[in-house]
Amino acid sequence: MKNRVSILGIPFDNISPEAAVEQVYAMRLEERAHRVVTPNSEMVYLAQSDPVFAKILRESDFVVPDGVGVIYASKLIGTPIREKVAGIDLGEGLIARMARSGEGVFFLGAKPGVADLAAEKLCEKYPGLRVVGTQDGYFKNVDEVIEKINQSGAVLLFVCLGVPKQEQFMAEYGPRLTSVRIMLGLGGSLDGYAGLAKRAPKWMIRMGLEWFYRLCKEPYRYKRMLALPKFMLCVLKYGKKEVAKK
């Protein structure tokens, strides 16, 4: 049975980043497309008012806590999650494994040219990596995109369309994917892999200040970050009641 911690109705896998890579990588052995999501506090807060989105998160095969807000919330309600599992790191860990196995990877999302640049950078970093296809996120014909992915023979699909579009895409179209075994929703990670968006220094990440670094770099994000205090208020109000019901 999975070791999971529920935060406002969203079940998170309580696991180390290293173990997360291994467990997700092992999913490729089963003949279906597994859905892996990486919710942060903003996504959990969104799920409180969007039951369809909440259902998608709950029914995903693997759910990792991509944000210190979720970690703090788990401690607050007395069911602590071991540590943050950053989606961008989970993705790169899988890339490293795929480079060794030679299995194909497909990048879907971001602005035109970004996925190609990310593929170029990652192939330089991980010799043996096979990026078998890319597609920007500005497509109009989803059937053509599904066909393109299927024709590529990709085993691992990065879905970087933003929240909640990427989760909706995986839930709706995952069953139509023939070769894909792992679908990973990763927001703006392709920009990071392409070198277009820099992450916080490691010391800031260790101290849980990556959100502050991003706010300083992208002040226009402040409205989105207002979801954090609202999320914490929800946790204070309903979190412990949720635990008590179990």
Side-chain angles (χ1 to χ4, degrees), residues 109-158:
K111 294 180 180 178
V114 173
D116 293 323
L117 181 57
E120 180 183 334
K121 297 279 188 182
L122 288 168
C123 284
E124 289 175 0
K125 187 173 182 179
Y126 298 100
L129 177 63
R130 293 179 57 241
V131 179
V132 294
T134 63
Q135 169 65 52
D136 66 64
Y138 292 78
F139 56 88
K140 294 182 179 179
N141 191 323
V142 70
D143 291 325
E144 290 181 357
V145 173
I146 296 300
E147 181 63 20
K148 185 177 180 179
I149 295 169
N150 287 338
Q151 288 291 329
S152 75
V155 173
L156 171 61
L157 172 65
F158 282 61

Side-chain angles (χ1 to χ4, degrees), residues 40-67:
N40 55 20
S41 54
E42 180 184 358
M43 292 171 66
V44 177
Y45 183 71
L46 173 62
Q48 305 310 298
S49 59
D50 188 337
V52 174
F53 181 55
K55 185 173 186 290
I56 291 173
L57 295 183
R58 286 197 305 271
E59 295 180 355
S60 293
D61 296 284
F62 210 76
V63 185
V64 299
D66 187 4

Side-chain angles (χ1 to χ4, degrees), residues 3 34 40 44 60 66 83 102 107 118 126 137 150 161 164 175 187 194 216-217 224 235-236 239-240:
N3 179 14
H34 297 76
N40 55 20
V44 177
S60 293
D66 187 4
E83 57 187 306
F107 292 148
Y126 298 100
N150 287 338
L161 301 173
C216 290
K217 288 289 185 180
R224 288 180 56 182
V235 171
L236 285 169
K240 290 189 177 181

Side-chain angles (χ1 to χ4, degrees), residues 32 48 75 94 98 101 135 140 145 148 173 178 180 196 236 246:
R32 67 180 180 88
Q48 305 310 298
K75 294 177 180 178
L94 291 169
M98 301 297 279
S101 69
Q135 169 65 52
K140 294 182 179 179
V145 173
K148 185 177 180 179
Y173 300 109
T178 55
V180 171
L196 302 177
L236 285 169
K246 295 185 177 181

